[in-house]
PDB file of all heavy atoms in Angstrom:
ATOM      1  N   PHE A 155     -12.859  -6.978   6.455  1.00 98.00           N
ATOM      2  CA  PHE A 155     -12.306  -5.788   7.116  1.00 98.00           C
ATOM      3  C   PHE A 155     -13.433  -4.986   7.746  1.00 98.00           C
ATOM      4  O   PHE A 155     -14.607  -5.169   7.394  1.00 98.00           O
ATOM      5  CB  PHE A 155     -11.540  -4.927   6.097  1.00 98.00           C
ATOM      6  CG  PHE A 155     -12.397  -4.407   4.984  1.00 98.00           C
ATOM      7  CD1 PHE A 155     -13.140  -3.246   5.138  1.00 98.00           C
ATOM      8  CD2 PHE A 155     -12.496  -5.101   3.780  1.00 98.00           C
ATOM      9  CE1 PHE A 155     -13.950  -2.774   4.119  1.00 98.00           C
ATOM     10  CE2 PHE A 155     -13.303  -4.634   2.756  1.00 98.00           C
ATOM     11  CZ  PHE A 155     -14.032  -3.475   2.919  1.00 98.00           C
ATOM     12  N   THR A 156     -13.081  -4.104   8.685  1.00 98.00           N
ATOM     13  CA  THR A 156     -14.078  -3.181   9.234  1.00 98.00           C
ATOM     14  C   THR A 156     -13.526  -1.759   9.130  1.00 98.00           C
ATOM     15  O   THR A 156     -12.321  -1.550   9.235  1.00 98.00           O
ATOM     16  CB  THR A 156     -14.363  -3.459  10.727  1.00 98.00           C
ATOM     17  OG1 THR A 156     -13.123  -3.564  11.403  1.00 98.00           O
ATOM     18  CG2 THR A 156     -15.153  -4.732  10.923  1.00 98.00           C
ATOM     19  N   LEU A 157     -14.446  -0.837   8.901  1.00 98.00           N
ATOM     20  CA  LEU A 157     -14.068   0.577   8.840  1.00 98.00           C
ATOM     21  C   LEU A 157     -14.546   1.237  10.122  1.00 98.00           C
ATOM     22  O   LEU A 157     -15.727   1.141  10.469  1.00 98.00           O
ATOM     23  CB  LEU A 157     -14.732   1.224   7.611  1.00 98.00           C
ATOM     24  CG  LEU A 157     -14.745   2.745   7.545  1.00 98.00           C
ATOM     25  CD1 LEU A 157     -13.322   3.309   7.438  1.00 98.00           C
ATOM     26  CD2 LEU A 157     -15.577   3.221   6.347  1.00 98.00           C
ATOM     27  N   GLU A 158     -13.630   1.879  10.845  1.00 98.00           N
ATOM     28  CA  GLU A 158     -13.986   2.614  12.065  1.00 98.00           C
ATOM     29  C   GLU A 158     -13.811   4.101  11.798  1.00 98.00           C
ATOM     30  O   GLU A 158     -12.801   4.519  11.227  1.00 98.00           O
ATOM     31  CB  GLU A 158     -13.093   2.192  13.242  1.00 98.00           C
ATOM     32  CG  GLU A 158     -13.313   0.753  13.623  1.00 98.00           C
ATOM     33  CD  GLU A 158     -12.577   0.347  14.894  1.00 98.00           C
ATOM     34  OE1 GLU A 158     -11.914   1.209  15.507  1.00 98.00           O
ATOM     35  OE2 GLU A 158     -12.670  -0.834  15.248  1.00 98.00           O
ATOM     36  N   LEU A 159     -14.821   4.845  12.226  1.00 98.00           N
ATOM     37  CA  LEU A 159     -14.863   6.261  11.878  1.00 98.00           C
ATOM     38  C   LEU A 159     -15.060   7.105  13.132  1.00 98.00           C
ATOM     39  O   LEU A 159     -15.759   6.677  14.058  1.00 98.00           O
ATOM     40  CB  LEU A 159     -16.075   6.426  10.950  1.00 98.00           C
ATOM     41  CG  LEU A 159     -16.189   7.600  10.026  1.00 98.00           C
ATOM     42  CD1 LEU A 159     -15.034   7.623   9.048  1.00 98.00           C
ATOM     43  CD2 LEU A 159     -17.524   7.485   9.245  1.00 98.00           C
ATOM     44  N   ASN A 160     -14.458   8.277  13.146  1.00 97.00           N
ATOM     45  CA  ASN A 160     -14.710   9.192  14.269  1.00 97.00           C
ATOM     46  C   ASN A 160     -14.440  10.615  13.809  1.00 97.00           C
ATOM     47  O   ASN A 160     -13.919  10.840  12.703  1.00 97.00           O
ATOM     48  CB  ASN A 160     -13.812   8.844  15.456  1.00 97.00           C
ATOM     49  CG  ASN A 160     -14.273   9.509  16.739  1.00 97.00           C
ATOM     50  OD1 ASN A 160     -15.432   9.881  16.864  1.00 97.00           O
ATOM     51  ND2 ASN A 160     -13.362   9.669  17.689  1.00 97.00           N
ATOM     52  N   ASN A 161     -14.804  11.559  14.660  1.00 98.00           N
ATOM     53  CA  ASN A 161     -14.464  12.956  14.395  1.00 98.00           C
ATOM     54  C   ASN A 161     -13.849  13.507  15.671  1.00 98.00           C
ATOM     55  O   ASN A 161     -14.466  13.420  16.735  1.00 98.00           O
ATOM     56  CB  ASN A 161     -15.716  13.745  13.993  1.00 98.00           C
ATOM     57  CG  ASN A 161     -15.362  15.127  13.503  1.00 98.00           C
ATOM     58  OD1 ASN A 161     -14.700  15.892  14.201  1.00 98.00           O
ATOM     59  ND2 ASN A 161     -15.793  15.469  12.302  1.00 98.00           N
ATOM     60  N   ILE A 162     -12.605  14.015  15.573  1.00 96.00           N
ATOM     61  CA  ILE A 162     -11.908  14.469  16.795  1.00 96.00           C
ATOM     62  C   ILE A 162     -11.945  15.994  16.941  1.00 96.00           C
ATOM     63  O   ILE A 162     -11.169  16.574  17.698  1.00 96.00           O
ATOM     64  CB  ILE A 162     -10.456  13.944  16.854  1.00 96.00           C
ATOM     65  CG1 ILE A 162      -9.673  14.334  15.589  1.00 96.00           C
ATOM     66  CG2 ILE A 162     -10.423  12.440  17.056  1.00 96.00           C
ATOM     67  CD1 ILE A 162      -8.181  14.064  15.681  1.00 96.00           C
ATOM     68  N   GLY A 163     -12.846  16.625  16.171  1.00 96.00           N
ATOM     69  CA  GLY A 163     -13.113  18.056  16.357  1.00 96.00           C
ATOM     70  C   GLY A 163     -11.906  18.947  16.128  1.00 96.00           C
ATOM     71  O   GLY A 163     -11.016  18.646  15.332  1.00 96.00           O
ATOM     72  N   THR A 164     -11.891  20.050  16.877  1.00 95.00           N
ATOM     73  CA  THR A 164     -10.814  21.045  16.719  1.00 95.00           C
ATOM     74  C   THR A 164      -9.762  20.863  17.816  1.00 95.00           C
ATOM     75  O   THR A 164      -9.965  20.088  18.757  1.00 95.00           O
ATOM     76  CB  THR A 164     -11.389  22.461  16.887  1.00 95.00           C
ATOM     77  OG1 THR A 164     -11.985  22.505  18.192  1.00 95.00           O
ATOM     78  CG2 THR A 164     -12.444  22.788  15.846  1.00 95.00           C
ATOM     79  N   ALA A 165      -8.669  21.637  17.718  1.00 93.00           N
ATOM     80  CA  ALA A 165      -7.618  21.592  18.744  1.00 93.00           C
ATOM     81  C   ALA A 165      -8.215  21.957  20.105  1.00 93.00           C
ATOM     82  O   ALA A 165      -7.865  21.365  21.132  1.00 93.00           O
ATOM     83  CB  ALA A 165      -6.501  22.553  18.375  1.00 93.00           C
ATOM     84  N   ALA A 166      -9.162  22.917  20.109  1.00 95.00           N
ATOM     85  CA  ALA A 166      -9.770  23.342  21.379  1.00 95.00           C
ATOM     86  C   ALA A 166     -10.578  22.191  21.994  1.00 95.00           C
ATOM     87  O   ALA A 166     -10.529  21.962  23.209  1.00 95.00           O
ATOM     88  CB  ALA A 166     -10.673  24.552  21.142  1.00 95.00           C
ATOM     89  N   ASP A 167     -11.296  21.442  21.140  1.00 95.00           N
ATOM     90  CA  ASP A 167     -12.062  20.281  21.647  1.00 95.00           C
ATOM     91  C   ASP A 167     -11.124  19.274  22.291  1.00 95.00           C
ATOM     92  O   ASP A 167     -11.422  18.692  23.334  1.00 95.00           O
ATOM     93  CB  ASP A 167     -12.795  19.567  20.498  1.00 95.00           C
ATOM     94  CG  ASP A 167     -13.881  20.429  19.885  1.00 95.00           C
ATOM     95  OD1 ASP A 167     -14.396  21.300  20.596  1.00 95.00           O
ATOM     96  OD2 ASP A 167     -14.204  20.209  18.698  1.00 95.00           O
ATOM     97  N   ARG A 168      -9.973  19.089  21.639  1.00 92.00           N
ATOM     98  CA  ARG A 168      -9.042  18.066  22.147  1.00 92.00           C
ATOM     99  C   ARG A 168      -8.352  18.533  23.436  1.00 92.00           C
ATOM    100  O   ARG A 168      -8.090  17.721  24.313  1.00 92.00           O
ATOM    101  CB  ARG A 168      -8.027  17.680  21.065  1.00 92.00           C
ATOM    102  CG  ARG A 168      -8.692  16.863  19.950  1.00 92.00           C
ATOM    103  CD  ARG A 168      -7.693  16.243  19.028  1.00 92.00           C
ATOM    104  NE  ARG A 168      -6.879  17.210  18.312  1.00 92.00           N
ATOM    105  CZ  ARG A 168      -7.294  17.942  17.268  1.00 92.00           C
ATOM    106  NH1 ARG A 168      -8.530  17.798  16.820  1.00 92.00           N
ATOM    107  NH2 ARG A 168      -6.498  18.802  16.681  1.00 92.00           N
ATOM    108  N   THR A 169      -8.115  19.846  23.532  1.00 91.00           N
ATOM    109  CA  THR A 169      -7.517  20.361  24.786  1.00 91.00           C
ATOM    110  C   THR A 169      -8.457  20.086  25.958  1.00 91.00           C
ATOM    111  O   THR A 169      -8.036  19.590  27.004  1.00 91.00           O
ATOM    112  CB  THR A 169      -7.245  21.882  24.657  1.00 91.00           C
ATOM    113  OG1 THR A 169      -6.403  22.059  23.525  1.00 91.00           O
ATOM    114  CG2 THR A 169      -6.579  22.452  25.889  1.00 91.00           C
ATOM    115  N   LYS A 170      -9.755  20.347  25.734  1.00 93.00           N
ATOM    116  CA  LYS A 170     -10.742  20.101  26.799  1.00 93.00           C
ATOM    117  C   LYS A 170     -10.778  18.615  27.152  1.00 93.00           C
ATOM    118  O   LYS A 170     -10.834  18.220  28.317  1.00 93.00           O
ATOM    119  CB  LYS A 170     -12.140  20.541  26.316  1.00 93.00           C
ATOM    120  CG  LYS A 170     -12.451  21.974  26.675  1.00 93.00           C
ATOM    121  CD  LYS A 170     -13.915  22.270  26.468  1.00 93.00           C
ATOM    122  CE  LYS A 170     -14.059  23.506  25.606  1.00 93.00           C
ATOM    123  NZ  LYS A 170     -15.195  23.527  24.707  1.00 93.00           N
ATOM    124  N   TYR A 171     -10.743  17.788  26.109  1.00 92.00           N
ATOM    125  CA  TYR A 171     -10.821  16.337  26.316  1.00 92.00           C
ATOM    126  C   TYR A 171      -9.588  15.828  27.073  1.00 92.00           C
ATOM    127  O   TYR A 171      -9.683  14.983  27.958  1.00 92.00           O
ATOM    128  CB  TYR A 171     -10.942  15.653  24.952  1.00 92.00           C
ATOM    129  CG  TYR A 171     -11.305  14.177  25.013  1.00 92.00           C
ATOM    130  CD1 TYR A 171     -12.275  13.700  25.899  1.00 92.00           C
ATOM    131  CD2 TYR A 171     -10.684  13.261  24.166  1.00 92.00           C
ATOM    132  CE1 TYR A 171     -12.617  12.350  25.934  1.00 92.00           C
ATOM    133  CE2 TYR A 171     -11.017  11.911  24.189  1.00 92.00           C
ATOM    134  CZ  TYR A 171     -11.981  11.463  25.080  1.00 92.00           C
ATOM    135  OH  TYR A 171     -12.309  10.129  25.105  1.00 92.00           O
ATOM    136  N   ARG A 172      -8.432  16.403  26.723  1.00 89.00           N
ATOM    137  CA  ARG A 172      -7.180  16.031  27.427  1.00 89.00           C
ATOM    138  C   ARG A 172      -7.320  16.301  28.917  1.00 89.00           C
ATOM    139  O   ARG A 172      -6.954  15.468  29.746  1.00 89.00           O
ATOM    140  CB  ARG A 172      -6.004  16.849  26.892  1.00 89.00           C
ATOM    141  CG  ARG A 172      -5.315  16.198  25.738  1.00 89.00           C
ATOM    142  CD  ARG A 172      -3.956  16.826  25.460  1.00 89.00           C
ATOM    143  NE  ARG A 172      -3.500  16.348  24.179  1.00 89.00           N
ATOM    144  CZ  ARG A 172      -3.709  16.954  23.013  1.00 89.00           C
ATOM    145  NH1 ARG A 172      -4.363  18.104  22.975  1.00 89.00           N
ATOM    146  NH2 ARG A 172      -3.280  16.416  21.898  1.00 89.00           N
ATOM    147  N   GLU A 173      -7.877  17.491  29.222  1.00 88.00           N
ATOM    148  CA  GLU A 173      -8.044  17.852  30.636  1.00 88.00           C
ATOM    149  C   GLU A 173      -8.948  16.845  31.332  1.00 88.00           C
ATOM    150  O   GLU A 173      -8.664  16.374  32.420  1.00 88.00           O
ATOM    151  CB  GLU A 173      -8.656  19.253  30.763  1.00 88.00           C
ATOM    152  CG  GLU A 173      -7.615  20.349  30.592  1.00 88.00           C
ATOM    153  CD  GLU A 173      -8.250  21.701  30.307  1.00 88.00           C
ATOM    154  OE1 GLU A 173      -9.470  21.876  30.557  1.00 88.00           O
ATOM    155  OE2 GLU A 173      -7.526  22.585  29.807  1.00 88.00           O
ATOM    156  N   GLN A 174     -10.046  16.508  30.625  1.00 88.00           N
ATOM    157  CA  GLN A 174     -11.005  15.567  31.192  1.00 88.00           C
ATOM    158  C   GLN A 174     -10.351  14.198  31.428  1.00 88.00           C
ATOM    159  O   GLN A 174     -10.558  13.562  32.457  1.00 88.00           O
ATOM    160  CB  GLN A 174     -12.172  15.432  30.201  1.00 88.00           C
ATOM    161  CG  GLN A 174     -13.357  14.701  30.759  1.00 88.00           C
ATOM    162  CD  GLN A 174     -14.456  14.545  29.698  1.00 88.00           C
ATOM    163  OE1 GLN A 174     -14.325  15.020  28.569  1.00 88.00           O
ATOM    164  NE2 GLN A 174     -15.526  13.882  30.073  1.00 88.00           N
TER     165      GLN A 174
END
Side-chain angles (χ1 to χ4, degrees):
F155 62 84
T156 49
L157 166 65
E158 295 187 2
L159 201 61
N160 195 22
N161 189 305
I162 55 170
T164 58
D167 294 334
R168 289 191 298 284
T169 303
K170 268 193 232 146
Y171 191 42
R172 270 195 192 92
E173 279 163 17
Q174 191 183 358

